[in-house]
Amino acid sequence: MTSAESTKLALTIRAVVHAALRVVFEPLRIPSAEGAAIECGDKKIRVLHPGFAIASMDYEEAAVESLNRGVRARHPCGACHVETSEQHATGRHFPRRTISEMKAMLQEALAAKTLKAEKEILQKFGSYLLENAFWCLEHSNIYLALCYDILHSDDLGKLKKLFKLLKVHLNELGLGGALNEVFSTLPPYPGLKHFNSVTTIEYTDGNTMFHIMKVLKWKLDHPKRHALTHVFEDIKEKGSLINSSTRTGESMIQEIKASCYQTNGKDTDKGVGH
Ligand SMILES: [Zn+2]
């Protein structure tokens, strides 16, 4: 797929998802602004404003929901304004996107006189020429709600891939021995495994991988690395990460899929519900 084709596909996916979300959000649009009388668990009726405080998902899904251009964009984080080359700087604070500036960006891009000017405006924000469906809900902010997810950001599968790439790279540079020396000469530390020849490890379990990654201070400009920048802010604003982890939902997807395949493909809600 050429770069133009993949951009077109990404745009189509985002247009379809946000059109669907607008339909889903429509019944919530007015109550989110004006409130709705709802009977709560304690039988008391309260005026509530439906909305969302936490949006927990993997990086690709977050890019779709925030209308971000994804990993190859100059600004690849849906939540903030970090530049690609700054993603390794996890100690730095990057300002969150705001709904008003993203709306202003869209208006500016729509009013651009040339395609080139339109593209430049969109690229400056790593976004697309689309209206975000989340904007229709009052008191909700998708950029603030996007949250550090322990399942996807700390995923061991990714660490294994990262370690494999690092070994190939170091071996090409003739530095494999140096890495082994770093690992083998580390002083013992409680709870930390010792490795004499880390570069010869081919297949290993997640726990060993976790120990290897604890030792390695890898420095990469990658969205999963950058996600760490938001972790403390997310905990302060949204509570313990266990509450926003997608781990529970992800395992449910398998069960829902299995139930769905047992239906005749029509009116699946009832079939899956049983
Ligand atoms: Zn960010």
Side-chain angles (χ1 to χ4, degrees):
M1 199 184 287
T2 64
S3 167
E5 283 169 341
S6 57
T7 302
K8 198 175 167 191
L9 178 65
L11 178 65
T12 308
I13 290 170
R14 282 156 180 76
V16 170
V17 168
H18 282 262
L21 284 176
R22 256 186 286 280
V23 175
V24 174
F25 290 160
E26 181 51 30
L28 302 175
R29 194 170 55 81
I30 294 173
S32 76
E34 298 176 4
I38 292 170
E39 189 180 308
C40 301
D42 59 3
K43 301 285 174 201
K44 283 188 182 159
I45 293 174
R46 293 183 177 90
V47 174
L48 302 180
H49 295 256
F52 51 89
I54 294 173
S56 201
M57 56 195 81
D58 70 19
Y59 172 75
E60 286 76 17
E61 288 158 351
V64 172
E65 308 297 289
S66 61
L67 291 178
N68 187 263
R69 296 179 89 91
V71 71
R72 282 181 291 180
R74 204 193 314 160
H75 296 273
C77 177
C80 79
H81 288 293
V82 68
E83 278 203 32
T84 307
S85 60
E86 299 170 320
Q87 291 181 98
H88 62 273
T90 44
R92 271 180 63 188
H93 176 263
F94 298 95
R96 288 262 175 175
R97 294 168 187 269
T98 67
I99 295 173
S100 56
E101 73 183 5
M102 295 306 281
K103 279 184 177 174
M105 176 278 303
L106 181 63
Q107 289 313 315
E108 202 189 330
L110 284 168
K113 296 275 189 295
T114 63
L115 274 178
K116 189 171 172 269
E118 176 195 294
K119 201 175 163 187
E120 274 173 15
I121 295 163
L122 294 171
Q123 284 182 343
K124 211 162 70 181
F125 285 81
S127 195
Y128 287 95
L129 197 69
L130 288 171
E131 187 173 326
N132 194 307
F134 286 86
W135 295 345
C136 75
L137 297 177
E138 293 290 325
H139 309 298
S140 291
N141 181 335
I142 181 64
Y143 313 109
L144 267 182
L146 285 174
C147 194
Y148 187 86
D149 178 30
I150 47 175
L151 175 66
H152 292 105
S153 299
D154 300 340
D155 173 61
L156 286 168
K158 303 282 186 305
L159 297 184
K160 277 186 186 179
K161 279 184 198 160
L162 201 62
F163 183 58
K164 205 172 161 185
L165 280 174
L166 179 73
K167 279 196 301 182
V168 170
H169 192 59
L170 287 176
N171 283 333
E172 276 173 5
L173 294 170
L175 292 171
L179 184 69
N180 282 335
E181 199 182 327
V182 169
F183 272 79
S184 62
T185 54
L186 270 177
Y189 192 81
L192 190 68
K193 278 190 182 183
H194 192 80
F195 302 94
N196 284 323
S197 179
V198 74
T199 54
T200 55
I201 294 174
E202 283 298 327
Y203 302 99
T204 185
D205 59 282
N207 194 35
T208 304
M209 202 63 239
F210 188 63
H211 282 257
I212 293 171
M213 297 319 285
K214 269 206 274 193
V215 176
L216 282 171
K217 299 277 187 211
W218 84 101
K219 185 171 177 167
L220 285 175
D221 283 321
H222 190 274
K224 287 191 195 298
R225 165 88 179 175
H226 164 68
L228 284 167
T229 310
H230 298 301
V231 72
F232 292 115
E233 203 176 287
D234 283 342
I235 293 170
K236 272 197 276 180
E237 286 171 3
K238 300 153 196 164
S240 165
L241 294 173
I242 201 76
N243 298 321
S244 55
S245 169
T246 53
R247 198 181 293 271
T248 319
E250 292 272 320
S251 52
M252 253 174 69
I253 291 173
Q254 303 305 324
E255 289 175 30
I256 293 170
K257 262 190 191 170
S259 306
C260 192
Y261 290 144
Q262 285 172 7
T263 68
N264 61 1
K266 292 173 192 161
D267 203 11
T268 48
D269 285 6
K270 280 185 199 157
V272 172
H274 287 289

